[in-house]
Amino acid sequence: KQEVTQIPAALSVPEGENLVLNCSFTDSAIYNLQWFRQDPGKGLTSLLLIQSSQREQTSGRLNASLDKSSGRSTLYIAASQPGDSATYLCAVSRDTGGFKTIFGAGTRLFVKA
Amino acid sequence: NAGVTQTPKFQVLKTGQSMTLQCAQDMNHEYMSWYRQDPGMGLRLIHYSVGAGITDQGEVPNGYNVSRSTTEDFPLRLLSAAPSQTSVYFCASRRPGQRSYNSPLHFGNGTRLTVT
Protein backbone atom coordinates (compact mmCIF):
# COMPACT_ATOMS: atom_id res chain seq x y z
CA LYS A 1 0.00 0.00 0.00
CA GLN A 2 1.37 3.38 -1.01
CA GLU A 3 2.15 5.68 1.90
CA VAL A 4 3.31 9.27 1.63
CA THR A 5 5.16 10.94 4.50
CA GLN A 6 6.14 14.57 4.93
CA ILE A 7 8.70 15.70 7.45
CA PRO A 8 8.73 18.03 9.30
CA ALA A 9 5.06 18.51 10.13
CA ALA A 10 5.73 22.20 10.83
CA LEU A 11 8.55 24.62 10.07
CA SER A 12 9.23 28.23 11.06
CA VAL A 13 11.91 30.25 9.27
CA PRO A 14 12.94 33.93 9.05
CA GLU A 15 12.14 35.84 5.90
CA GLY A 16 14.76 35.50 3.17
CA GLU A 17 15.91 32.03 4.12
CA ASN A 18 16.12 29.25 1.54
CA LEU A 19 14.34 26.12 2.69
CA VAL A 20 13.63 22.52 1.71
CA LEU A 21 10.49 20.52 2.34
CA ASN A 22 10.68 16.74 2.18
CA CYS A 23 8.31 14.09 0.88
CA SER A 24 8.85 10.34 0.84
CA PHE A 25 6.75 7.54 -0.63
CA THR A 26 6.92 3.78 -0.16
CA ASP A 27 6.07 2.48 -3.66
CA SER A 28 8.23 3.76 -6.51
CA ALA A 29 5.69 2.70 -9.17
CA ILE A 30 4.23 6.16 -9.60
CA TYR A 31 3.20 8.14 -12.67
CA ASN A 32 3.80 11.55 -11.16
CA LEU A 33 4.28 13.53 -7.99
CA GLN A 34 2.60 16.84 -7.31
CA TRP A 35 3.24 19.58 -4.80
CA PHE A 36 0.29 21.62 -3.59
CA ARG A 37 -0.15 24.70 -1.45
CA GLN A 38 -3.08 25.08 0.92
CA ASP A 39 -3.97 28.34 2.63
CA PRO A 40 -6.15 28.25 5.79
CA GLY A 41 -9.80 27.62 4.97
CA LYS A 42 -9.04 27.17 1.28
CA GLY A 43 -8.63 24.38 -1.20
CA LEU A 44 -5.39 23.08 -2.64
CA THR A 45 -3.53 24.86 -5.41
CA SER A 46 -1.20 22.85 -7.62
CA LEU A 47 2.35 24.26 -7.60
CA LEU A 48 4.40 21.75 -9.55
CA LEU A 49 3.85 18.36 -11.17
CA ILE A 50 6.80 16.09 -11.91
CA GLN A 51 6.22 13.20 -14.26
CA SER A 52 7.89 9.90 -13.42
CA SER A 53 10.36 10.33 -16.29
CA GLN A 54 11.46 13.76 -15.04
CA ARG A 55 13.96 14.68 -12.34
CA GLU A 56 12.81 18.19 -11.49
CA GLN A 57 10.44 21.04 -12.26
CA THR A 58 10.85 24.75 -11.61
CA SER A 59 8.41 27.61 -11.24
CA GLY A 60 9.73 30.97 -10.12
CA ARG A 61 11.31 30.57 -6.67
CA LEU A 62 10.14 26.96 -6.41
CA ASN A 63 12.07 23.90 -7.50
CA ALA A 64 10.84 20.35 -6.99
CA SER A 65 12.99 17.27 -7.48
CA LEU A 66 12.06 13.63 -7.77
CA ASP A 67 14.12 10.52 -7.08
CA LYS A 68 11.82 7.60 -7.83
CA SER A 69 14.30 4.89 -6.94
CA SER A 70 14.74 6.18 -3.41
CA GLY A 71 11.09 7.25 -3.03
CA ARG A 72 11.88 10.87 -2.30
CA SER A 73 10.97 14.35 -3.46
CA THR A 74 12.00 17.77 -2.22
CA LEU A 75 10.45 21.18 -2.66
CA TYR A 76 13.02 23.96 -2.54
CA ILE A 77 11.79 27.50 -1.83
CA ALA A 78 14.31 30.25 -2.48
CA ALA A 79 14.35 33.56 -0.62
CA SER A 80 11.25 32.80 1.43
CA GLN A 81 8.65 35.52 2.02
CA PRO A 82 5.83 35.88 4.59
CA GLY A 83 3.39 35.27 1.74
CA ASP A 84 4.82 31.76 1.41
CA SER A 85 3.30 30.85 4.77
CA ALA A 86 0.88 27.98 4.12
CA THR A 87 0.66 24.21 4.29
CA TYR A 88 2.49 22.35 1.53
CA LEU A 89 1.31 18.89 0.52
CA CYS A 90 2.82 16.35 -1.79
CA ALA A 91 0.83 13.67 -3.58
CA VAL A 92 1.63 10.72 -5.84
CA SER A 93 -0.52 9.21 -8.58
CA ARG A 94 -0.03 5.50 -8.72
CA ASP A 95 -2.00 4.24 -11.71
CA THR A 96 -2.54 5.14 -15.33
CA GLY A 97 -5.59 7.29 -14.81
CA GLY A 98 -4.13 9.01 -11.80
CA PHE A 99 -7.42 8.07 -10.23
CA LYS A 100 -6.05 7.29 -6.83
CA THR A 101 -3.80 10.15 -5.92
CA ILE A 102 -2.34 9.58 -2.45
CA PHE A 103 -1.55 12.59 -0.28
CA GLY A 104 0.88 13.26 2.51
CA ALA A 105 -0.33 15.04 5.64
CA GLY A 106 1.56 18.22 4.73
CA THR A 107 4.18 20.55 6.18
CA ARG A 108 2.90 23.75 7.77
CA LEU A 109 5.32 26.56 6.91
CA PHE A 110 5.51 29.89 8.74
CA VAL A 111 7.83 32.59 7.37
CA LYS A 112 8.51 35.31 9.92
CA ALA A 113 8.88 38.92 8.74
CA ASN B 1 -14.05 31.14 -14.99
CA ALA B 2 -15.32 29.74 -11.67
CA GLY B 3 -13.29 26.50 -11.69
CA VAL B 4 -14.53 24.02 -9.06
CA THR B 5 -17.40 25.27 -6.90
CA GLN B 6 -18.52 23.56 -3.69
CA THR B 7 -21.62 24.28 -1.65
CA PRO B 8 -22.31 24.72 1.18
CA LYS B 9 -19.13 26.05 2.83
CA PHE B 10 -20.23 25.00 6.30
CA GLN B 11 -22.80 22.49 7.55
CA VAL B 12 -23.81 21.09 10.92
CA LEU B 13 -25.79 17.85 11.01
CA LYS B 14 -27.20 15.70 13.74
CA THR B 15 -26.38 12.01 13.85
CA GLY B 16 -28.62 10.10 11.45
CA GLN B 17 -29.47 13.03 9.20
CA SER B 18 -28.77 12.87 5.49
CA MET B 19 -27.50 15.57 3.17
CA THR B 20 -25.85 16.19 -0.19
CA LEU B 21 -22.63 18.11 -0.73
CA GLN B 22 -22.61 19.81 -4.11
CA CYS B 23 -19.69 20.08 -6.52
CA ALA B 24 -19.72 21.69 -9.95
CA GLN B 25 -16.95 22.48 -12.42
CA ASP B 26 -17.06 24.56 -15.59
CA MET B 27 -13.82 23.35 -17.19
CA ASN B 28 -15.27 20.35 -19.07
CA HIS B 29 -13.20 18.02 -16.89
CA GLU B 30 -14.11 14.37 -17.22
CA TYR B 31 -12.41 13.26 -14.01
CA MET B 32 -13.92 14.37 -10.70
CA SER B 33 -13.31 13.14 -7.18
CA TRP B 34 -14.18 13.64 -3.54
CA TYR B 35 -11.65 13.73 -0.70
CA ARG B 36 -11.94 14.19 3.01
CA GLN B 37 -9.24 15.95 5.01
CA ASP B 38 -8.72 15.14 8.66
CA PRO B 39 -6.03 16.60 10.96
CA GLY B 40 -2.71 14.81 10.60
CA MET B 41 -4.03 12.38 7.99
CA GLY B 42 -3.77 14.21 4.69
CA LEU B 43 -6.51 13.83 2.10
CA ARG B 44 -8.23 10.49 1.59
CA LEU B 45 -10.15 9.59 -1.56
CA ILE B 46 -13.84 8.78 -1.04
CA HIS B 47 -15.22 8.30 -4.57
CA TYR B 48 -14.24 9.31 -8.05
CA SER B 49 -15.71 9.48 -11.54
CA VAL B 50 -14.04 9.33 -14.96
CA GLY B 51 -17.08 10.60 -16.83
CA ALA B 52 -20.86 10.93 -16.81
CA GLY B 53 -22.46 7.68 -15.67
CA ILE B 54 -19.20 6.19 -14.36
CA THR B 55 -18.20 6.17 -10.69
CA ASP B 56 -15.94 4.07 -8.49
CA GLN B 57 -14.85 3.78 -4.88
CA GLY B 58 -11.74 5.24 -3.33
CA GLU B 59 -10.07 4.47 -0.01
CA VAL B 60 -12.90 5.40 2.37
CA PRO B 61 -16.26 5.01 0.55
CA ASN B 62 -18.41 3.63 3.39
CA GLY B 63 -21.29 5.90 4.36
CA TYR B 64 -21.14 7.92 1.14
CA ASN B 65 -22.88 7.66 -2.23
CA VAL B 66 -22.17 9.45 -5.49
CA SER B 67 -23.69 9.73 -8.94
CA ARG B 68 -22.58 11.50 -12.12
CA SER B 69 -25.45 12.38 -14.41
CA THR B 70 -23.67 15.29 -16.11
CA THR B 71 -20.05 16.21 -16.83
CA GLU B 72 -20.35 19.34 -14.70
CA ASP B 73 -21.79 17.99 -11.44
CA PHE B 74 -20.62 15.36 -8.95
CA PRO B 75 -22.67 15.42 -5.72
CA LEU B 76 -21.67 13.49 -2.60
CA ARG B 77 -24.47 12.08 -0.44
CA LEU B 78 -24.22 11.23 3.23
CA LEU B 79 -26.93 8.67 3.86
CA SER B 80 -26.99 8.67 7.67
CA ALA B 81 -24.47 11.07 9.16
CA ALA B 82 -22.16 9.86 11.94
CA PRO B 83 -19.74 11.85 14.15
CA SER B 84 -16.86 10.02 12.39
CA GLN B 85 -17.83 11.88 9.22
CA THR B 86 -16.94 15.23 10.78
CA SER B 87 -14.30 16.50 8.37
CA VAL B 88 -13.49 18.94 5.60
CA TYR B 89 -14.61 17.66 2.22
CA PHE B 90 -12.90 18.65 -1.02
CA CYS B 91 -13.99 18.10 -4.58
CA ALA B 92 -11.33 17.97 -7.29
CA SER B 93 -11.28 17.65 -11.07
CA ARG B 94 -8.77 17.03 -13.82
CA ARG B 95 -8.81 17.75 -17.55
CA PRO B 96 -9.59 14.94 -19.98
CA GLY B 97 -7.18 13.36 -22.41
CA GLN B 98 -4.98 10.35 -22.95
CA ARG B 99 -2.36 11.58 -20.52
CA SER B 100 -4.78 13.22 -18.13
CA TYR B 101 -2.97 11.63 -15.19
CA ASN B 102 -0.16 14.05 -15.88
CA SER B 103 -2.35 17.12 -15.56
CA PRO B 104 -2.83 18.77 -12.18
CA LEU B 105 -5.85 18.37 -9.96
CA HIS B 106 -8.05 21.46 -9.49
CA PHE B 107 -9.67 21.76 -6.07
CA GLY B 108 -12.73 23.52 -4.71
CA ASN B 109 -12.55 25.49 -1.46
CA GLY B 110 -14.10 22.73 0.60
CA THR B 111 -17.13 22.07 2.80
CA ARG B 112 -16.56 21.95 6.55
CA LEU B 113 -18.99 19.41 8.01
CA THR B 114 -19.69 18.84 11.70
CA VAL B 115 -21.85 15.94 12.85
CA THR B 116 -23.05 16.14 16.45
Side-chain angles (χ1 to χ4, degrees):
Chain A
K1 178 184 175 182
Q2 178 74 274
E3 293 183 358
V4 180
T5 304
Q6 293 186 247
I7 296 173
L11 181 64
S12 180
V13 300
E15 181 177 7
E17 188 163 302
N18 301 325
L19 60 100
V20 174
L21 305 181
N22 297 296
C23 172
S24 61
F25 47 95
T26 55
D27 185 350
S28 62
I30 64 170
Y31 282 92
N32 60 57
L33 183 144
Q34 299 181 65
W35 282 94
F36 294 86
R37 169 182 173 141
Q38 184 177 27
D39 293 291
K42 299 292 186 180
L44 283 69
T45 300
S46 181
L47 297 173
L48 292 164
L49 183 150
I50 311 176
Q51 299 179 27
S52 60
S53 59
Q54 299 173 325
R55 296 284 293 181
E56 65 178 344
Q57 283 285 336
T58 298
S59 176
R61 294 182 294 108
L62 306 179
N63 176 277
S65 67
L66 174 63
D67 184 342
K68 265 185 57 175
S69 60
S70 67
R72 293 179 182 176
S73 175
T74 61
L75 178 67
Y76 174 82
I77 303 177
S80 59
Q81 304 170 357
D84 294 329
S85 299
T87 297
Y88 292 81
L89 297 95
C90 69
V92 297
S93 290
R94 59 185 178 89
D95 57 25
T96 303
F99 303 148
K100 296 182 180 179
T101 302
I102 307 299
F103 284 80
T107 293
R108 183 175 298 177
L109 173 66
F110 179 64
V111 181
K112 298 173 287 186
Chain B
N1 192 340
V4 180
T5 303
Q6 291 184 239
T7 56
K9 292 184 179 179
F10 302 94
Q11 183 70 50
V12 178
L13 291 178
K14 294 184 178 179
T15 297
Q17 287 185 317
S18 63
M19 78 158 296
T20 299
L21 307 185
Q22 302 291 343
C23 176
Q25 52 86 16
D26 60 0
M27 298 174 283
N28 198 32
H29 286 178
E30 289 180 347
Y31 174 80
M32 296 184 74
S33 55
W34 277 101
Y35 287 87
R36 60 178 288 172
Q37 185 176 35
D38 301 294
M41 298 187 69
L43 279 76
R44 291 181 292 169
L45 181 65
I46 304 170
H47 286 286
Y48 65 93
S49 169
V50 298
I54 307 170
T55 63
D56 206 347
Q57 297 180 349
E59 299 175 75
V60 288
N62 293 339
Y64 308 95
N65 274 0
V66 293
S67 60
R68 185 94 178 271
S69 57
T70 67
T71 299
E72 295 78 19
D73 300 297
F74 190 43
L76 178 71
R77 297 184 188 85
L78 280 71
L79 306 175
S80 178
S84 62
Q85 293 179 306
T86 294
S87 187
V88 182
Y89 292 84
F90 288 100
C91 179
S93 69
R94 172 182 275 135
R95 70 168 175 80
Q98 273 191 327
R99 291 186 176 273
S100 62
Y101 55 87
N102 274 331
S103 64
L105 283 168
H106 296 258
F107 280 84
N109 284 334
T111 294
R112 186 174 297 273
L113 175 68
T114 301
V115 183
T116 61

